[in-house]
PDB file of all heavy atoms in Angstrom:
ATOM      1  N   SER A 339      26.604 -35.674   7.765  1.00 95.00           N
ATOM      2  CA  SER A 339      26.335 -35.972   9.163  1.00 95.00           C
ATOM      3  C   SER A 339      26.101 -34.669   9.900  1.00 95.00           C
ATOM      4  O   SER A 339      26.668 -33.625   9.546  1.00 95.00           O
ATOM      5  CB  SER A 339      27.508 -36.730   9.803  1.00 95.00           C
ATOM      6  OG  SER A 339      27.333 -36.845  11.203  1.00 95.00           O
ATOM      7  N   ASP A 340      25.278 -34.720  10.945  1.00 91.00           N
ATOM      8  CA  ASP A 340      25.101 -33.569  11.819  1.00 91.00           C
ATOM      9  C   ASP A 340      26.073 -33.606  12.985  1.00 91.00           C
ATOM     10  O   ASP A 340      26.071 -32.699  13.817  1.00 91.00           O
ATOM     11  CB  ASP A 340      23.669 -33.522  12.352  1.00 91.00           C
ATOM     12  CG  ASP A 340      22.656 -33.254  11.250  1.00 91.00           C
ATOM     13  OD1 ASP A 340      22.904 -32.344  10.444  1.00 91.00           O
ATOM     14  OD2 ASP A 340      21.629 -33.959  11.198  1.00 91.00           O
ATOM     15  N   GLY A 341      26.912 -34.653  13.030  1.00 88.00           N
ATOM     16  CA  GLY A 341      27.922 -34.773  14.065  1.00 88.00           C
ATOM     17  C   GLY A 341      29.312 -34.559  13.501  1.00 88.00           C
ATOM     18  O   GLY A 341      29.517 -33.766  12.582  1.00 88.00           O
ATOM     19  N   SER A 342      30.269 -35.295  14.036  1.00 88.00           N
ATOM     20  CA  SER A 342      31.670 -35.088  13.664  1.00 88.00           C
ATOM     21  C   SER A 342      32.198 -36.136  12.695  1.00 88.00           C
ATOM     22  O   SER A 342      33.331 -36.008  12.216  1.00 88.00           O
ATOM     23  CB  SER A 342      32.545 -35.077  14.923  1.00 88.00           C
ATOM     24  OG  SER A 342      32.421 -36.309  15.632  1.00 88.00           O
ATOM     25  N   GLU A 343      31.426 -37.149  12.389  1.00 93.00           N
ATOM     26  CA  GLU A 343      31.898 -38.214  11.508  1.00 93.00           C
ATOM     27  C   GLU A 343      30.857 -38.491  10.430  1.00 93.00           C
ATOM     28  O   GLU A 343      29.650 -38.527  10.694  1.00 93.00           O
ATOM     29  CB  GLU A 343      32.183 -39.497  12.301  1.00 93.00           C
ATOM     30  CG  GLU A 343      33.291 -39.350  13.329  1.00 93.00           C
ATOM     31  CD  GLU A 343      33.574 -40.652  14.059  1.00 93.00           C
ATOM     32  OE1 GLU A 343      32.946 -41.687  13.710  1.00 93.00           O
ATOM     33  OE2 GLU A 343      34.417 -40.650  14.980  1.00 93.00           O
ATOM     34  N   GLY A 344      31.358 -38.689   9.215  1.00 96.00           N
ATOM     35  CA  GLY A 344      30.471 -38.972   8.099  1.00 96.00           C
ATOM     36  C   GLY A 344      31.223 -38.897   6.794  1.00 96.00           C
ATOM     37  O   GLY A 344      32.369 -38.435   6.741  1.00 96.00           O
ATOM     38  N   ASP A 345      30.610 -39.343   5.735  1.00 97.00           N
ATOM     39  CA  ASP A 345      31.233 -39.288   4.419  1.00 97.00           C
ATOM     40  C   ASP A 345      31.334 -37.840   3.949  1.00 97.00           C
ATOM     41  O   ASP A 345      30.419 -37.038   4.185  1.00 97.00           O
ATOM     42  CB  ASP A 345      30.418 -40.100   3.409  1.00 97.00           C
ATOM     43  CG  ASP A 345      30.414 -41.594   3.726  1.00 97.00           C
ATOM     44  OD1 ASP A 345      31.404 -42.063   4.337  1.00 97.00           O
ATOM     45  OD2 ASP A 345      29.435 -42.269   3.375  1.00 97.00           O
ATOM     46  N   PRO A 346      32.422 -37.484   3.276  1.00 96.00           N
ATOM     47  CA  PRO A 346      32.596 -36.096   2.837  1.00 96.00           C
ATOM     48  C   PRO A 346      31.585 -35.704   1.763  1.00 96.00           C
ATOM     49  O   PRO A 346      31.172 -36.532   0.943  1.00 96.00           O
ATOM     50  CB  PRO A 346      34.025 -36.071   2.302  1.00 96.00           C
ATOM     51  CG  PRO A 346      34.323 -37.487   1.934  1.00 96.00           C
ATOM     52  CD  PRO A 346      33.571 -38.325   2.921  1.00 96.00           C
ATOM     53  N   ILE A 347      31.193 -34.447   1.788  1.00 97.00           N
ATOM     54  CA  ILE A 347      30.340 -33.875   0.747  1.00 97.00           C
ATOM     55  C   ILE A 347      31.250 -33.180  -0.255  1.00 97.00           C
ATOM     56  O   ILE A 347      31.906 -32.179   0.073  1.00 97.00           O
ATOM     57  CB  ILE A 347      29.331 -32.872   1.334  1.00 97.00           C
ATOM     58  CG1 ILE A 347      28.409 -33.560   2.341  1.00 97.00           C
ATOM     59  CG2 ILE A 347      28.505 -32.219   0.220  1.00 97.00           C
ATOM     60  CD1 ILE A 347      27.456 -32.610   3.050  1.00 97.00           C
ATOM     61  N   GLU A 348      31.317 -33.691  -1.454  1.00 97.00           N
ATOM     62  CA  GLU A 348      32.187 -33.109  -2.466  1.00 97.00           C
ATOM     63  C   GLU A 348      31.720 -31.690  -2.818  1.00 97.00           C
ATOM     64  O   GLU A 348      30.549 -31.460  -3.082  1.00 97.00           O
ATOM     65  CB  GLU A 348      32.192 -33.977  -3.718  1.00 97.00           C
ATOM     66  CG  GLU A 348      33.164 -33.497  -4.787  1.00 97.00           C
ATOM     67  CD  GLU A 348      33.183 -34.412  -6.001  1.00 97.00           C
ATOM     68  OE1 GLU A 348      32.519 -35.477  -5.966  1.00 97.00           O
ATOM     69  OE2 GLU A 348      33.852 -34.059  -6.990  1.00 97.00           O
ATOM     70  N   GLY A 349      32.643 -30.754  -2.777  1.00 96.00           N
ATOM     71  CA  GLY A 349      32.311 -29.366  -3.098  1.00 96.00           C
ATOM     72  C   GLY A 349      31.525 -28.661  -2.020  1.00 96.00           C
ATOM     73  O   GLY A 349      30.852 -27.657  -2.304  1.00 96.00           O
ATOM     74  N   ALA A 350      31.636 -29.120  -0.767  1.00 96.00           N
ATOM     75  CA  ALA A 350      30.806 -28.558   0.311  1.00 96.00           C
ATOM     76  C   ALA A 350      31.104 -27.086   0.561  1.00 96.00           C
ATOM     77  O   ALA A 350      30.181 -26.291   0.793  1.00 96.00           O
ATOM     78  CB  ALA A 350      30.995 -29.370   1.588  1.00 96.00           C
TER      79      ALA A 350
END
Side-chain angles (χ1 to χ4, degrees):
S339 171
D340 293 314
S342 59
E343 297 182 4
D345 294 332
I347 299 175
E348 185 178 354

